[in-house]
């Protein structure tokens, strides 16, 4: 069963006190201190797209207490949520910087962002980094091509595998017309593109290949998939992927026992639809996004919580993020999530085999 919890941004919400009016995305990322960052895209002071205070990305923090609605207690920047990195919007090179996903490894939080010159015209991507719970961020000067791998390494989502690896799924940009690719990289090597391994179909079998310049990684969704925003999370020993299915105009969730499972046949749930009959309760017009909130639980009547965006492009309002909950069934033995191991370490090989990441 799907249930709308309510808007987490917009008039009367706790985001308003930090100068966050119209905004979207709201990507949840667990921070080193245990709180949760919610990273938003293009943000304005007024409840609309446009107007004063344009900045992106911005970050609000919350002590998430599911199944209650997310409430924000602080912002990067203090009383007024600041732009996380310094740049001028609508400059000759790009118009804005949009977040895709973040991951925390030890004391470091890393955020994959794309530099875009308008919708569907992504120039390149970067990984920016914070070591103070999202307050300040640094750039390392390395650009990741948005044209490489058939243009399918633009929007990225990732999570720690609890085995020393970060697993990631990528797709194209905001044209939302690409299939998905699977990657992995050692936690210690995440900033080095040459150390990333792609999931490739070689010699009639799937296998990992380092820096696959001579062999493109294979699509992991059925042919014809047109994907938008992605969110991959390790939830109680299961791999849960939420995504905007542009072809179906819906937010969907897949659940698998391991990152290398068959994503074609993985159980798939339609959580929120962009259109439908008036009496449907899980309809949100002009939707996108769809990000999993930490603390979500499987096999629970409303245990998996998602942040979904809405943008009315005719009136530029609503332009906000809302919280939804739904029931998702586990496919692998559930494991309570302890504190992940320190970067570069691994759990017992038997546990790694249970997790499907050995």
């Amino acid at each position: 069963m799907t249930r709308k919890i309510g808007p987490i941004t917009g008039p009367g919400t706790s985001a308003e006190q930090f100068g966050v009016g119209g905004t979207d995305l709201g990507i949840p990322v667990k921070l080193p201190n245990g709180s949760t960052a919610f990273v938003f895209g293009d943000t304005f002071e007024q409840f609309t797209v446009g107007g004063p205070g344009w900045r992106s990305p911005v970050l609000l923090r919350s002590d998430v207490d599911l199944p209650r609605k997310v409430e924000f207690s602080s912002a990067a920047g203090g009383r007024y949520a600041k732009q996380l990195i310094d740049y001028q919007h609508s400059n000759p090179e790009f118009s804005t910087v949009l977040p895709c996903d973040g991951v925390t490894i030890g004391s470091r939080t890393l955020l994959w962002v794309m530099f875009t010159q308008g919708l569907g015209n992504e120039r390149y991507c970067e990984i920016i980094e914070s070591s103070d719970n999202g307050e300040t961020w640094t750039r390392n000067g390395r650009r990741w091509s948005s044209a490489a791998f058939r243009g399918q390494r633009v929007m990225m989502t990732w999570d720690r595998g609890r085995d020393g690896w970060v697993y990631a799924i990528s797709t194209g940009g905001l044209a939302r017309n690409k299939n998905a690719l699977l990657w992995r990289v050692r936690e210690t090597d995440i900033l080095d593109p040459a150390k990333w391994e792609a999931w490739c179909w070689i010699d009639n079998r799937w296998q990992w290949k380092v820096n696959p310049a001579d062999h493109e990684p294979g699509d992991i969704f059925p042919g014809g998939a047109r994907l938008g925003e992605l969110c991959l999370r390790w939830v109680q020993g299961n791999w849960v992927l939420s995504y905007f299915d542009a072809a179906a105009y819906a937010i969907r969730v897949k659940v698998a026992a391991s990152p290398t499972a068959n994503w074609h046949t993985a159980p798939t749930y339609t959580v929120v639809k962009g259109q439908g009959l008036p009496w449907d309760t899980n309809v949100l017009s002009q939707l996108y996004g769809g990000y999993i909130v930490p603390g979500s639980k499987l096999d629970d009547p409303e245990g998996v919580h998602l942040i979904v965006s809405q943008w009315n492009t005719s009136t530029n309002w609503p332009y906000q993020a809302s919280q939804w909950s739904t029931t998702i069934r586990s496919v692998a033995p559930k494991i309570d999530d302890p504190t992940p191991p320190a970067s570069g370490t691994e759990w017992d090989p038997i546990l790694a085999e249970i997790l499907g990441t050995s």
Side-chain angles (χ1 to χ4, degrees):
M1 181 183 74
T2 296
R3 185 167 71 96
K4 183 176 182 179
I5 308 300
I8 64 169
T9 65
T13 66
S14 56
E16 188 177 359
Q17 65 184 306
F18 301 106
V20 174
T23 192
D24 68 348
L25 303 182
I27 304 164
V29 184
K30 201 76 170 178
L31 293 171
N33 66 1
S35 66
T36 299
F38 287 77
V39 186
F40 296 91
D42 288 323
T43 298
F44 306 88
E45 294 173 3
Q46 299 172 352
F47 298 116
T48 184
V49 175
W54 183 14
R55 60 251 198 240
S56 178
V58 302
L59 183 153
L60 302 180
R61 302 184 189 89
S62 174
D63 294 320
V64 172
D65 185 19
L66 299 182
R68 295 184 176 90
K69 189 175 80 168
V70 169
E71 300 287 344
F72 301 114
S73 56
S74 67
R79 297 304 304 173
Y80 184 85
K82 66 180 180 181
Q83 184 169 279
L84 298 185
I85 56 175
D86 183 32
Y87 69 93
Q88 182 64 45
H89 286 269
S90 297
N91 63 63
E93 186 179 9
F94 59 88
S95 58
T96 193
V97 179
L98 300 178
C100 295
D101 199 12
V103 64
T104 291
I105 302 174
S107 61
R108 305 159 62 206
T109 301
L110 301 112
L111 186 66
W112 182 282
V113 296
M114 55 185 181
F115 290 68
T116 180
Q117 187 68 278
L119 296 180
N121 185 20
E122 293 78 28
R123 304 299 302 274
Y124 55 87
C125 299
E126 291 186 8
I127 298 175
I128 62 174
E129 182 175 347
S130 173
S131 295
D132 56 4
N133 294 297
E135 189 61 31
T136 59
W137 294 80
T138 58
R139 300 170 63 183
N140 58 31
R142 175 170 286 149
R143 296 181 177 183
W144 300 61
S145 170
S146 58
F149 307 108
R150 308 185 297 275
Q152 291 175 246
R153 193 189 62 183
V154 182
M155 287 195 284
M156 179 78 72
T157 181
W158 47 18
D159 200 4
R160 301 179 71 184
R162 280 65 173 172
D163 60 353
W165 294 88
V166 170
Y167 294 88
I169 293 178
S170 68
T171 188
L174 293 176
R176 301 183 176 101
N177 60 1
K178 303 290 186 183
N179 208 302
L181 307 178
L182 176 65
W183 310 85
R184 74 174 183 178
V185 63
R186 288 285 183 185
E187 294 178 349
T188 51
D189 297 325
I190 194 168
L191 295 178
D192 185 353
K195 299 293 181 64
W196 282 58
E197 300 182 12
W199 192 233
C200 299
W201 181 256
I202 304 174
D203 297 331
N204 293 315
R205 68 183 181 92
W206 286 100
Q207 54 186 290
W208 293 110
K209 182 170 176 55
V210 178
N211 195 22
D214 59 340
H215 197 103
E216 292 278 309
D219 293 336
I220 62 170
F221 268 52
R226 295 192 293 114
L227 304 179
E229 294 79 11
L230 306 163
C231 184
L232 178 69
R233 294 293 184 266
W234 190 94
V235 181
Q236 296 179 295
N238 291 244
W239 286 89
V240 182
L241 174 68
S242 62
Y243 59 99
F244 175 44
D245 186 336
Y249 199 24
I251 304 298
R252 289 186 160 166
V253 172
K254 288 180 179 286
V255 58
S258 77
T260 57
N262 187 337
W263 291 99
H264 288 225
T265 59
T268 305
Y269 302 79
T270 298
V271 181
V272 189
K273 298 177 290 184
Q275 56 190 357
L277 298 175
W279 50 85
D280 283 355
T281 58
N282 60 336
V283 172
L284 185 69
S285 63
Q286 295 184 273
L287 83 175
Y288 56 102
Y291 302 98
I292 301 165
V293 180
S296 292
K297 297 185 181 298
L298 301 172
D299 303 317
D300 186 280
E302 54 174 0
V304 174
H305 287 244
L306 302 175
I307 304 301
V308 179
S309 288
Q310 180 184 28
W311 178 9
N312 185 326
T313 53
S314 297
T315 63
N316 281 331
W317 181 260
Y319 176 64
Q320 63 182 356
S322 59
Q323 181 177 347
W324 298 70
S325 67
T326 193
T327 303
I328 303 295
R329 301 297 180 190
S330 60
V331 298
K334 288 192 296 184
I335 303 171
D336 289 336
D337 191 9
T339 301
S343 178
T345 65
E346 297 186 9
W347 286 1
D348 185 276
I350 296 176
L351 180 56
E353 183 177 355
I354 292 174
L355 299 177
T357 55
S358 59

